[in-house]
Amino acid sequence: MTTTPPQQDDESGESDLDSALVTARRQLERAAAHVDVDDGVVERLKHPTRVEQVSVPLERDDGSVDVFTGYRAQHDDVRGPYKGGLRYHPEVNADECTGLSMWMTWKCAVMDLPFGGGKGGISVNPKSLSNDEKERLTRRFAEELRYVIGPTRDVPAPDMGTDAQTMAWFMDAYSMQQGETIPGVVTGKPPVIGGSYGRQEAPGRSTAIAAREAIDYYDKHLEETTVAVQGFGSVGANAARLLEEWGANVVSVSDVNGAIYDPDGLDIGAIPTHEEEPEAVLEQDAPETLSNEEILELDVDVLIPAAIGNVITADNADDIAADIVVEGANGPTTFAADTILEERGVHVIPDILANAGGVTVSYFEWLQDINRRKWSLEEVNKELESKMLDAWKEVRTEVEEKELSWRDAAYVVALSRIAEAKATRGLWP
Ligand code: GLU
């Protein structure tokens, strides 16, 4: 079996084995069978409200000009402004953005945030851009999207290939054109210009919380639990660090080059994250090294795929030896693999619940921007914990009452809220 080696990224990702749109539509159909929802609503949810495509010209450092294609898919806004990341990646296209924007709709609904789903990006390899080029490209992209975004309309955030600085440039360009400082147009900014404390660590923190709750639910103790984490970017590294802090035994972590493994447990705090020092995992002392395929098949209690999408496929689903999979990345499990894992009794805690801390703290950031009142890190983490536990309990109720997988249960919670909102607002005209 071969899989694309995971790239480290700040939020999430996927490759093109199954397009995100195909998977998202299949998951919607499957979940709709468990909810009393009007067929018309399901049909509406299969289609995005709009997908904006723009040309983004860039003057390179040598004076030449290249033109890139940018997108913003706005899936649904029945519960509030569209919300979701902007990614810079060569595989960005309209279908991928649409599928990812659908996942954002469910993610915001499962967390009961007053947002809909959006996702966008530019088809570009960010590593091919100098810092100045990235800034110019981002500013022009902000200008091209100016008419479809805004703090009450559509609020972008970081994703693969973008970060807090990208959001700062984006916010600055938008604000300059609007003639006033509007921090709430994007989230994931540096705290000095209206970003929230704890936003960067949030997807990893929520992934760790989801893992902790799942371990407890299946009658295990954190102190006796072994964990493997694929990907050591912000999601994987923060999840691994917290789980270690809470007493779990993190035995293996990986980055794009491969994994290190110590059955007695690694010293996670000593391993630099991708942001601190890129591709440093294999430089650490450890008794064994593994490939990125092998880490997925380790016999551990909890496996956290937190790198790119489509890493658990029909080809390796039978070889996943973990009892619990917690999806730190967006879409790490293909639709076919999901069915195999379910049949084998492997519990999968889905991305739309597990990594939802990112967008949840984005919501806190948006509130802070609108209210012009900064929250402390303690406040942010306390509210995040409480939002995660509320969502966890809602999903757990569906798991128990309808005997569903955690993914189907999370979809049921999300879809019920969205369908009720659509029915209450009605179809106009
Ligand atoms: N890109 C992140 C995600 O996939 C966060 C989006 C946001 O904060 O709006 O959930």
PDB file of all heavy atoms in Angstrom, residues 11-12 83-85 104 107 119 157-159 187 199 330 358-359 362, ligand 1:
ATOM      1  N   GLU A  11      -3.773  23.454  10.239  1.00  0.00           N
ATOM      2  CA  GLU A  11      -5.126  23.148  10.664  1.00  0.00           C
ATOM      3  C   GLU A  11      -5.567  21.759  10.246  1.00  0.00           C
ATOM      4  O   GLU A  11      -6.000  20.967  11.045  1.00  0.00           O
ATOM      5  CB  GLU A  11      -6.107  24.172  10.072  1.00  0.00           C
ATOM      6  CG  GLU A  11      -5.890  25.564  10.612  1.00  0.00           C
ATOM      7  CD  GLU A  11      -6.661  25.821  11.886  1.00  0.00           C
ATOM      8  OE1 GLU A  11      -7.718  25.212  12.078  1.00  0.00           O
ATOM      9  OE2 GLU A  11      -6.193  26.622  12.704  1.00  0.00           O
ATOM     10  N   SER A  12      -5.500  21.438   9.004  1.00  0.00           N
ATOM     11  CA  SER A  12      -6.135  20.226   8.530  1.00  0.00           C
ATOM     12  C   SER A  12      -5.797  20.009   7.055  1.00  0.00           C
ATOM     13  O   SER A  12      -5.139  20.814   6.454  1.00  0.00           O
ATOM     14  CB  SER A  12      -7.635  20.410   8.648  1.00  0.00           C
ATOM     15  OG  SER A  12      -7.980  21.614   8.011  1.00  0.00           O
ATOM     16  N   LYS A  83     -18.560  30.474   7.565  1.00  0.00           N
ATOM     17  CA  LYS A  83     -17.337  30.473   8.384  1.00  0.00           C
ATOM     18  C   LYS A  83     -16.445  29.339   7.940  1.00  0.00           C
ATOM     19  O   LYS A  83     -16.904  28.206   7.763  1.00  0.00           O
ATOM     20  CB  LYS A  83     -17.728  30.268   9.861  1.00  0.00           C
ATOM     21  CG  LYS A  83     -16.559  30.389  10.809  1.00  0.00           C
ATOM     22  CD  LYS A  83     -16.221  31.829  11.122  1.00  0.00           C
ATOM     23  CE  LYS A  83     -14.883  32.002  11.816  1.00  0.00           C
ATOM     24  NZ  LYS A  83     -13.736  32.012  10.869  1.00  0.00           N
ATOM     25  N   GLY A  84     -15.169  29.603   7.793  1.00  0.00           N
ATOM     26  CA  GLY A  84     -14.235  28.530   7.453  1.00  0.00           C
ATOM     27  C   GLY A  84     -12.944  29.067   6.880  1.00  0.00           C
ATOM     28  O   GLY A  84     -12.828  30.255   6.559  1.00  0.00           O
ATOM     29  N   GLY A  85     -11.972  28.179   6.752  1.00  0.00           N
ATOM     30  CA  GLY A  85     -10.616  28.582   6.424  1.00  0.00           C
ATOM     31  C   GLY A  85     -10.374  28.956   4.963  1.00  0.00           C
ATOM     32  O   GLY A  85     -11.210  28.756   4.074  1.00  0.00           O
ATOM     33  N   MET A 104     -17.751  22.398   7.148  1.00  0.00           N
ATOM     34  CA  MET A 104     -17.799  23.527   8.089  1.00  0.00           C
ATOM     35  C   MET A 104     -19.237  23.793   8.539  1.00  0.00           C
ATOM     36  O   MET A 104     -19.474  24.152   9.693  1.00  0.00           O
ATOM     37  CB  MET A 104     -17.197  24.795   7.448  1.00  0.00           C
ATOM     38  CG  MET A 104     -15.687  24.796   7.288  1.00  0.00           C
ATOM     39  SD  MET A 104     -14.722  24.347   8.755  1.00  0.00           S
ATOM     40  CE  MET A 104     -15.266  25.554   9.947  1.00  0.00           C
ATOM     41  N   LYS A 107     -19.860  21.223  11.142  1.00  0.00           N
ATOM     42  CA  LYS A 107     -19.000  21.463  12.306  1.00  0.00           C
ATOM     43  C   LYS A 107     -19.569  22.593  13.171  1.00  0.00           C
ATOM     44  O   LYS A 107     -19.664  22.475  14.386  1.00  0.00           O
ATOM     45  CB  LYS A 107     -17.594  21.836  11.805  1.00  0.00           C
ATOM     46  CG  LYS A 107     -16.496  21.586  12.798  1.00  0.00           C
ATOM     47  CD  LYS A 107     -15.139  22.034  12.263  1.00  0.00           C
ATOM     48  CE  LYS A 107     -14.498  21.074  11.305  1.00  0.00           C
ATOM     49  NZ  LYS A 107     -13.069  21.389  11.039  1.00  0.00           N
ATOM     50  N   LYS A 119     -15.513  27.790   2.801  1.00  0.00           N
ATOM     51  CA  LYS A 119     -14.089  27.399   2.686  1.00  0.00           C
ATOM     52  C   LYS A 119     -13.589  27.950   1.357  1.00  0.00           C
ATOM     53  O   LYS A 119     -14.329  28.044   0.384  1.00  0.00           O
ATOM     54  CB  LYS A 119     -13.945  25.883   2.709  1.00  0.00           C
ATOM     55  CG  LYS A 119     -12.507  25.384   2.889  1.00  0.00           C
ATOM     56  CD  LYS A 119     -12.038  25.508   4.333  1.00  0.00           C
ATOM     57  CE  LYS A 119     -11.747  24.194   4.951  1.00  0.00           C
ATOM     58  NZ  LYS A 119     -11.572  24.129   6.361  1.00  0.00           N
ATOM     59  N   ALA A 157     -10.652  32.195   7.890  1.00  0.00           N
ATOM     60  CA  ALA A 157      -9.722  31.836   8.979  1.00  0.00           C
ATOM     61  C   ALA A 157      -8.533  31.098   8.350  1.00  0.00           C
ATOM     62  O   ALA A 157      -8.550  30.786   7.161  1.00  0.00           O
ATOM     63  CB  ALA A 157     -10.438  30.927   9.978  1.00  0.00           C
ATOM     64  N   PRO A 158      -7.508  30.777   9.146  1.00  0.00           N
ATOM     65  CA  PRO A 158      -6.383  30.029   8.575  1.00  0.00           C
ATOM     66  C   PRO A 158      -6.759  28.574   8.260  1.00  0.00           C
ATOM     67  O   PRO A 158      -7.689  28.024   8.830  1.00  0.00           O
ATOM     68  CB  PRO A 158      -5.327  30.036   9.684  1.00  0.00           C
ATOM     69  CG  PRO A 158      -5.784  31.005  10.715  1.00  0.00           C
ATOM     70  CD  PRO A 158      -7.263  31.132  10.561  1.00  0.00           C
ATOM     71  N   ASP A 159      -6.018  27.980   7.356  1.00  0.00           N
ATOM     72  CA  ASP A 159      -6.171  26.567   7.006  1.00  0.00           C
ATOM     73  C   ASP A 159      -4.811  26.120   6.473  1.00  0.00           C
ATOM     74  O   ASP A 159      -3.796  26.752   6.770  1.00  0.00           O
ATOM     75  CB  ASP A 159      -7.305  26.427   5.970  1.00  0.00           C
ATOM     76  CG  ASP A 159      -7.945  25.047   5.970  1.00  0.00           C
ATOM     77  OD1 ASP A 159      -7.394  24.144   5.306  1.00  0.00           O
ATOM     78  OD2 ASP A 159      -8.974  24.858   6.627  1.00  0.00           O
ATOM     79  N   THR A 187     -10.811  35.423  11.419  1.00  0.00           N
ATOM     80  CA  THR A 187     -10.356  34.976  12.739  1.00  0.00           C
ATOM     81  C   THR A 187      -9.028  34.247  12.568  1.00  0.00           C
ATOM     82  O   THR A 187      -8.591  33.996  11.445  1.00  0.00           O
ATOM     83  CB  THR A 187     -11.393  34.070  13.410  1.00  0.00           C
ATOM     84  OG1 THR A 187     -11.627  32.950  12.549  1.00  0.00           O
ATOM     85  CG2 THR A 187     -12.695  34.809  13.668  1.00  0.00           C
ATOM     86  N   ARG A 199      -6.291  30.441  20.216  1.00  0.00           N
ATOM     87  CA  ARG A 199      -6.890  30.043  18.941  1.00  0.00           C
ATOM     88  C   ARG A 199      -6.024  29.028  18.206  1.00  0.00           C
ATOM     89  O   ARG A 199      -6.521  28.044  17.660  1.00  0.00           O
ATOM     90  CB  ARG A 199      -7.122  31.281  18.055  1.00  0.00           C
ATOM     91  CG  ARG A 199      -7.504  30.979  16.594  1.00  0.00           C
ATOM     92  CD  ARG A 199      -8.801  30.216  16.477  1.00  0.00           C
ATOM     93  NE  ARG A 199      -9.116  29.828  15.095  1.00  0.00           N
ATOM     94  CZ  ARG A 199      -8.624  28.769  14.486  1.00  0.00           C
ATOM     95  NH1 ARG A 199      -7.751  27.981  15.106  1.00  0.00           N
ATOM     96  NH2 ARG A 199      -8.988  28.477  13.259  1.00  0.00           N
ATOM     97  N   ASN A 330      -9.016  17.134   8.873  1.00  0.00           N
ATOM     98  CA  ASN A 330     -10.332  17.088   8.229  1.00  0.00           C
ATOM     99  C   ASN A 330     -10.317  15.964   7.207  1.00  0.00           C
ATOM    100  O   ASN A 330      -9.439  15.901   6.355  1.00  0.00           O
ATOM    101  CB  ASN A 330     -10.625  18.411   7.509  1.00  0.00           C
ATOM    102  CG  ASN A 330     -11.035  19.508   8.472  1.00  0.00           C
ATOM    103  OD1 ASN A 330     -11.600  19.246   9.533  1.00  0.00           O
ATOM    104  ND2 ASN A 330     -10.737  20.743   8.107  1.00  0.00           N
ATOM    105  N   GLY A 358     -11.027  24.610  16.730  1.00  0.00           N
ATOM    106  CA  GLY A 358     -10.510  25.716  15.907  1.00  0.00           C
ATOM    107  C   GLY A 358     -11.605  26.730  15.626  1.00  0.00           C
ATOM    108  O   GLY A 358     -11.483  27.916  15.946  1.00  0.00           O
ATOM    109  N   VAL A 359     -12.695  26.245  15.066  1.00  0.00           N
ATOM    110  CA  VAL A 359     -13.758  27.187  14.699  1.00  0.00           C
ATOM    111  C   VAL A 359     -14.491  27.683  15.946  1.00  0.00           C
ATOM    112  O   VAL A 359     -15.024  28.800  15.956  1.00  0.00           O
ATOM    113  CB  VAL A 359     -14.707  26.581  13.633  1.00  0.00           C
ATOM    114  CG1 VAL A 359     -15.617  25.516  14.207  1.00  0.00           C
ATOM    115  CG2 VAL A 359     -15.525  27.690  12.987  1.00  0.00           C
ATOM    116  N   SER A 362     -12.514  30.425  17.068  1.00  0.00           N
ATOM    117  CA  SER A 362     -12.752  31.480  16.075  1.00  0.00           C
ATOM    118  C   SER A 362     -14.021  32.245  16.427  1.00  0.00           C
ATOM    119  O   SER A 362     -14.086  33.473  16.297  1.00  0.00           O
ATOM    120  CB  SER A 362     -12.923  30.885  14.674  1.00  0.00           C
ATOM    121  OG  SER A 362     -11.674  30.664  14.075  1.00  0.00           O
TER     122      SER A 362
HETATM  123  N1  GLU B   1      -9.836  25.828   9.111  1.00  0.00           N
HETATM  124  C1  GLU B   1     -10.387  25.403  10.350  1.00  0.00           C
HETATM  125  C2  GLU B   1     -11.277  24.188  10.240  1.00  0.00           C
HETATM  126  O1  GLU B   1     -11.161  23.431   9.326  1.00  0.00           O
HETATM  127  C3  GLU B   1     -11.031  26.507  11.145  1.00  0.00           C
HETATM  128  C4  GLU B   1     -12.009  27.364  10.470  1.00  0.00           C
HETATM  129  C5  GLU B   1     -12.382  28.597  11.255  1.00  0.00           C
HETATM  130  O2  GLU B   1     -11.844  28.815  12.326  1.00  0.00           O
HETATM  131  O3  GLU B   1     -13.215  29.333  10.753  1.00  0.00           O
HETATM  132  O4  GLU B   1     -12.073  23.918  11.092  1.00  0.00           O
END
